[in-house]
Amino acid sequence: MTISAGQPIAGQPTSTRQAGPRRPLGELGRAALGRAGRAALLATGRQPVPDALEPLVQVHRRHHPQADLALLARAYRLAEASHRGQKRKSGEPYITHPLAVTMILAQLGAGTTTLVASLLHDTVEDTELTLDQVGAGFGPEVAYLVDGVTKLEKVDFGAAAEAETFRKMLVATGDDVRVMVIKLADRLHNMRTIRHMKPASQVRIAKVTRDVLIPLAERLGIQVLKAELEDIVFATLHPEEHARTRGLMAGHEALPDTLLEPFARQLARQLAETGVAAEVTVRPRHCVSLHRVLLKRAAAPGRDGRPQEPQPADFGRLLVVVEENADCYAVLGELHTCWTPLPGEFKDFVAAPKFNLYQSLHTAVALDGGAVVEVLVRTRRMHEVAETGVVALGDPSPTGPGQDADELDRTDPARPGWLSRLLEWQQETPDPDAFWSALTADLAGDREITVVTESGETLQLRAGASCVDAAYLLGEETGHRCIGARVNGRLTALSTPLQDGDVLAVLTENLPAGGAAQPSGPSPEWLAHARTPAARLAIERWLADHPARLPVVRTGPAAHQPAPAAHRAGERRAAPVAVAGRPGAPVRLARCCTPVPPDAVAGYPIRGGAVAVHRTGCPAGQRLRADGRTELEVRWRSEDAPAAGHRVTLRAEALNRPRLLADLTAAISAAGVGIVSAEVEPPQELRVRHTYSVELPEPGALPALMRAMLRVSGVYDVSRPHAPEGARTREGGRAGRDGGPEDRDGGPEDRDGGPEGRDGGPDGGQGSPEGREGGAEAALRGKWG
């Protein structure tokens, strides 16, 4: 309680006369004073606090005035007695370590229970004290926290002890996030004294801290702890670069600040004039933060082509702390009105907090001299959470059968977020090495993105995640059935990386009712696009349970259909087309567009007196006309339908998946259509193009066949292709002999459009609109972005 000067405390005398005559201090001996002190303590019921605990108590009382100091004192006495005689590598008594760790937590504002567990966190691991004794003396909550941070013995786990210890801590963190908070404070103090370790141990510990502990501190939002850990790791692993950066910082600190402090005062005056209550301070960058800025400067050459030198504004940022959320935007308005904002530098983490609950407005403005200054704007509560993260949320209240859980998951403040996903996939990774690799990979991303499904569900993913990761985040069964994705309304490949704010729809194959059929499942190439451990583990399990099987492809007709006449040697195909004015001319149906009744067609004279029949609009036919060929009128003759059926070429665009070729050929055969040839192009970004030449028993079977192919899972477009726009047309056979080997329909020299215009080639054109089958399935069509 703060009492203003001259204000009496209620219930106490206001003068020495009211209090009675004062006895001189010298009239009491030391023994009398000691007895009086003990009597006063007994009268108030407060136990004396050990001298070593006094600094800790002072810090703790600033955050928790009503803290149970007797419990802290009892925990300290037990820890001191348990560790008595033990020394650290620095030569100091071991009790200095739990005291230092507890002081770090007290400075963060942790609760009394957390401090008690911190004082005892090494007793079970390094002394004769057992976990049952801790629970009996301080309760199950403290015992759970102590057990969570207790390392597993190398005698029992060997080389896997470190990985399994982290697994154990993460599982415990899932129930109580304070386990990881204590571990981070423990690691910070160990890093502060890392100079006493052997060089090899320093490097090993620093790398583990860099790869695991610092990302965990970031995800828990404890920025003050993360920043110090980063600086110590930087000094341990890169001493020369650290020394250079520290030298630049020291040189800047020795000079008067002629940029940031004057701007802070100017901004404070401007806000005061507009009636916005705010505190404006200069926030210096820590060593690693400055080093990152210097790297960006070095990577961006100046006008003279040389790396840019550090600028005064690189050494710090302005922090504006206000009272209310609305004041944040009022400050932003003043900043952007009075100074020039930099495009692309504004970020609103107030309306859309980060995954670790961080909230602030970020902007950058250009001052009159051209210097660019970054400004952070937040409320006092936002500032507290930004600095200490989950610690600022307070100790979690236990939830039992008769208690309602908090609306926010107390173990994962970013629910649904990184911790929930990590706890899910670690259960599926029994191998310690695989767990450790997956853990470091999952924590490697320094930020997360938010993706919204078309149904309104919000997905939290690590930066760089692809559509494959999103599919498996929606559920393992959804991932196995996934055949494609639509991002921001456009069909895209599963390998496409997602961006923050994308709207996603995962397309899945339809399975027959009854659950007997299995999904097609992932292909091995999906592993190259999976960025999250959960997706990778699910794909690897599927591939292990479903060894690759070569599909059995049937390229003939259905069992009840006779073999096509084209398969019988020596039999010619008759063209059911009549050419006006040329009754005896040989007619060839163009292979580039494969016309069938009732297509609109046109004829063009070619070498040897033959007539090539193309579909109206076919680019190859249009080129023949442009070259001066006379367009001849032709018509279909229903009475001359070929016995072998009508040959037509169909192109299927699909999302690549296992057994796609087998399913497509089965659908064609089931429609009673014989396959003459099939061509499959190499997949491009999980998309594939299949081209089939088929024999239709009758022209009316074409629409039903295209619908059947479009119903195959993964197929999003079925069309009848034309020749490519750039292909040249060859005119007939080498000798022009009707019926000769070189002049037969389909011969290598007689295909209208030539080799460059063969259906299904890599440069094949898109099918015409009239050649695509309509229906509800058309929603999946579209060009690739």
Side-chain angles (χ1 to χ4, degrees), residues 343-563:
E345 293 296 325
F346 170 65
K347 297 177 182 177
D348 188 349
F349 295 119
V350 174
K354 288 187 177 182
F355 63 94
N356 57 4
L357 299 185
Y358 175 87
Q359 287 183 286
S360 287
L361 295 180
H362 289 208
T363 190
V365 295
L367 306 187
D368 294 337
V372 176
V373 177
E374 295 182 41
V375 184
L376 312 179
V377 186
R378 59 180 69 143
T379 65
R380 295 185 185 278
R381 178 58 178 169
M382 292 176 192
H383 180 61
E384 184 181 2
V385 174
E387 294 292 288
T388 61
V390 295
V391 182
L393 303 181
D395 285 352
S397 55
T399 56
Q403 298 171 305
D404 294 331
D406 197 329
E407 182 179 353
L408 267 179
D409 183 0
R410 65 188 182 93
T411 64
D412 184 2
R415 181 184 184 187
W418 63 272
L419 185 56
S420 298
R421 297 195 304 274
L422 190 151
L423 293 175
E424 288 173 3
W425 65 252
Q426 70 83 24
Q427 297 176 357
E428 307 296 333
T429 318
D431 180 64
D433 292 335
F435 164 75
W436 189 254
S437 299
L439 176 64
T440 54
D442 188 64
L443 297 175
D446 60 352
R447 67 184 186 92
E448 290 201 354
I449 60 173
T450 301
V451 175
V452 182
T453 65
E454 291 185 356
S455 60
E457 185 176 356
T458 301
L459 306 179
Q460 296 286 345
L461 292 156
R462 55 173 294 186
S466 66
C467 298
V468 172
D469 301 301
Y472 279 96
L473 183 58
L474 291 170
E476 189 167 313
E477 186 63 26
T478 301
H480 291 338
R481 293 174 52 208
C482 179
I483 56 175
R486 188 167 53 240
V487 177
N488 300 327
R490 299 184 65 187
L491 202 64
T492 187
L494 287 175
S495 58
T496 303
L498 295 168
Q499 304 297 325
D500 198 26
D502 278 347
V503 179
L504 170 73
V506 175
L507 309 178
T508 57
E509 61 179 325
N510 295 322
L511 298 179
Q518 285 192 344
S520 298
S523 63
E525 64 180 342
W526 287 20
L527 290 172
H529 311 301
R531 297 290 181 269
T532 57
R536 293 187 62 86
L537 291 169
I539 295 170
E540 289 171 352
R541 281 197 304 272
W542 172 275
L543 296 177
D545 295 339
H546 301 78
R549 296 188 299 270
L550 294 176
V552 179
V553 181
R554 294 185 297 168
T555 59
H560 61 279
Q561 293 291 327

Side-chain angles (χ1 to χ4, degrees), residues 252-253 255-269 280-284 312-313 316-318 367 373:
H252 175 75
E253 292 168 359
L255 299 175
D257 189 349
T258 60
L259 178 68
L260 295 179
E261 289 185 1
F263 178 52
R265 290 192 293 269
Q266 186 179 1
L267 177 59
R269 288 194 299 269
V280 184
T281 57
V282 176
R283 187 176 179 85
R317 297 179 287 185
L318 254 62
L367 306 187
V373 177

Side-chain angles (χ1 to χ4, degrees), residues 41-59:
L41 287 172
L42 292 174
T44 59
R46 179 174 297 172
Q47 297 293 325
V49 175
D51 293 341
L53 211 59
E54 200 56 54
L56 174 65
V57 167
Q58 294 177 6
V59 173

Side-chain angles (χ1 to χ4, degrees), residues 127-209:
T127 73
E128 298 298 325
L129 195 67
T130 65
L131 194 62
D132 291 338
Q133 291 173 323
V134 172
F138 298 92
E141 194 173 0
V142 172
Y144 184 86
L145 298 177
V146 172
D147 181 48
V149 296
T150 300
K151 296 179 183 177
L152 299 175
E153 294 291 341
K154 287 188 176 181
V155 175
D156 300 325
F157 291 88
E162 185 173 37
E164 291 301 328
T165 295
F166 271 100
R167 187 202 298 269
K168 172 190 171 188
M169 275 189 276
L170 288 170
V171 172
T173 302
D175 289 330
D176 198 322
V177 75
R178 292 174 295 180
V179 171
M180 191 54 64
V181 173
I182 295 172
K183 176 60 182 178
L184 290 170
D186 173 66
R187 179 54 60 95
L188 176 58
H189 183 251
N190 284 332
M191 293 299 292
R192 286 175 177 175
T193 58
I194 197 172
R195 63 185 180 278
H196 299 291
M197 304 289 291
K198 296 178 182 179
S201 298
Q202 292 184 31
V203 172
R204 179 183 61 81
I205 295 172
K207 287 182 176 180
V208 173
T209 304

Side-chain angles (χ1 to χ4, degrees), residues 550-604:
L550 294 176
V552 179
V553 181
R554 294 185 297 168
T555 59
H560 61 279
Q561 293 291 327
H567 290 181
R568 296 195 292 268
E571 185 169 338
R572 294 281 311 279
R573 298 176 62 231
V577 176
V579 182
R582 298 194 181 190
V587 177
R588 303 189 191 95
L589 299 180
R591 297 296 303 277
C592 57
C593 56
T594 58
V596 295
D599 293 338
V601 291
Y604 301 93

Side-chain angles (χ1 to χ4, degrees), residues 20-376:
R22 295 181 59 187
R23 183 188 300 273
L25 182 61
E27 294 184 6
L28 292 176
R30 291 182 180 273
L33 284 173
R35 288 192 298 271
R38 285 193 295 273
L41 287 172
L42 292 174
T44 59
R46 179 174 297 172
Q47 297 293 325
V49 175
D51 293 341
L53 211 59
E54 200 56 54
L56 174 65
V57 167
Q58 294 177 6
V59 173
H60 187 44
R61 273 182 170 170
R62 286 202 296 266
H63 297 279
H64 303 277
Q66 304 300 322
D68 186 354
L69 301 183
L71 189 65
L72 272 179
R74 189 154 56 87
Y76 168 76
R77 292 190 180 95
L78 179 59
E80 194 278 332
S82 301
H83 290 294
R84 191 171 297 161
Q86 295 178 348
K87 299 284 186 180
R88 304 196 79 219
K89 291 189 181 296
S90 61
E92 299 173 314
Y94 196 89
I95 190 60
T96 59
H97 171 66
L99 265 178
V101 173
T102 309
M103 175 60 81
I104 292 171
L105 293 171
Q107 292 168 340
L108 293 175
T112 305
T113 303
T114 307
L115 301 191
V116 170
S118 174
L119 287 169
L120 300 171
H121 79 274
D122 275 340
T123 53
V124 175
E125 180 181 333
D126 296 332
T127 73
E128 298 298 325
L129 195 67
T130 65
L131 194 62
D132 291 338
Q133 291 173 323
V134 172
F138 298 92
E141 194 173 0
V142 172
Y144 184 86
L145 298 177
V146 172
D147 181 48
V149 296
T150 300
K151 296 179 183 177
L152 299 175
E153 294 291 341
K154 287 188 176 181
V155 175
D156 300 325
F157 291 88
E162 185 173 37
E164 291 301 328
T165 295
F166 271 100
R167 187 202 298 269
K168 172 190 171 188
M169 275 189 276
L170 288 170
V171 172
T173 302
D175 289 330
D176 198 322
V177 75
R178 292 174 295 180
V179 171
M180 191 54 64
V181 173
I182 295 172
K183 176 60 182 178
L184 290 170
D186 173 66
R187 179 54 60 95
L188 176 58
H189 183 251
N190 284 332
M191 293 299 292
R192 286 175 177 175
T193 58
I194 197 172
R195 63 185 180 278
H196 299 291
M197 304 289 291
K198 296 178 182 179
S201 298
Q202 292 184 31
V203 172
R204 179 183 61 81
I205 295 172
K207 287 182 176 180
V208 173
T209 304
R210 177 197 63 193
D211 296 339
V212 179
L213 274 304
I214 289 176
L216 286 172
E218 166 74 13
R219 280 154 174 74
L220 294 177
I222 314 176
Q223 294 297 324
V224 291
L225 195 151
K226 175 205 168 195
E228 187 175 353
L229 281 175
E230 283 184 330
D231 287 351
I232 299 174
V233 168
F234 184 38
T236 303
L237 298 180
H238 307 283
E240 296 180 358
E241 295 181 27
H242 177 266
R244 284 197 297 269
T245 308
R246 285 296 307 171
L248 287 173
M249 294 176 67
H252 175 75
E253 292 168 359
L255 299 175
D257 189 349
T258 60
L259 178 68
L260 295 179
E261 289 185 1
F263 178 52
R265 290 192 293 269
Q266 186 179 1
L267 177 59
R269 288 194 299 269
Q270 181 69 30
L271 295 177
E273 291 175 3
T274 57
V276 179
E279 294 179 3
V280 184
T281 57
V282 176
R283 187 176 179 85
R285 293 185 182 274
H286 65 99
C287 192
V288 169
S289 178
L290 177 60
H291 181 68
R292 293 184 182 128
V293 173
L294 298 179
L295 289 177
K296 292 181 181 179
R297 289 281 187 190
R303 295 179 179 178
D304 57 357
R306 297 180 179 180
Q308 299 183 46
E309 295 295 327
Q311 302 298 317
D314 295 338
F315 291 87
R317 297 179 287 185
L318 254 62
L319 173 64
V320 182
V321 180
V322 295
E323 297 296 332
E324 303 292 338
N325 287 16
D327 294 338
C328 294
Y329 296 97
V331 172
L332 185 70
E334 291 299 319
L335 276 167
H336 289 184
T337 301
C338 300
W339 292 274
T340 304
L342 264 66
E345 293 296 325
F346 170 65
K347 297 177 182 177
D348 188 349
F349 295 119
V350 174
K354 288 187 177 182
F355 63 94
N356 57 4
L357 299 185
Y358 175 87
Q359 287 183 286
S360 287
L361 295 180
H362 289 208
T363 190
V365 295
L367 306 187
D368 294 337
V372 176
V373 177
E374 295 182 41
V375 184
L376 312 179

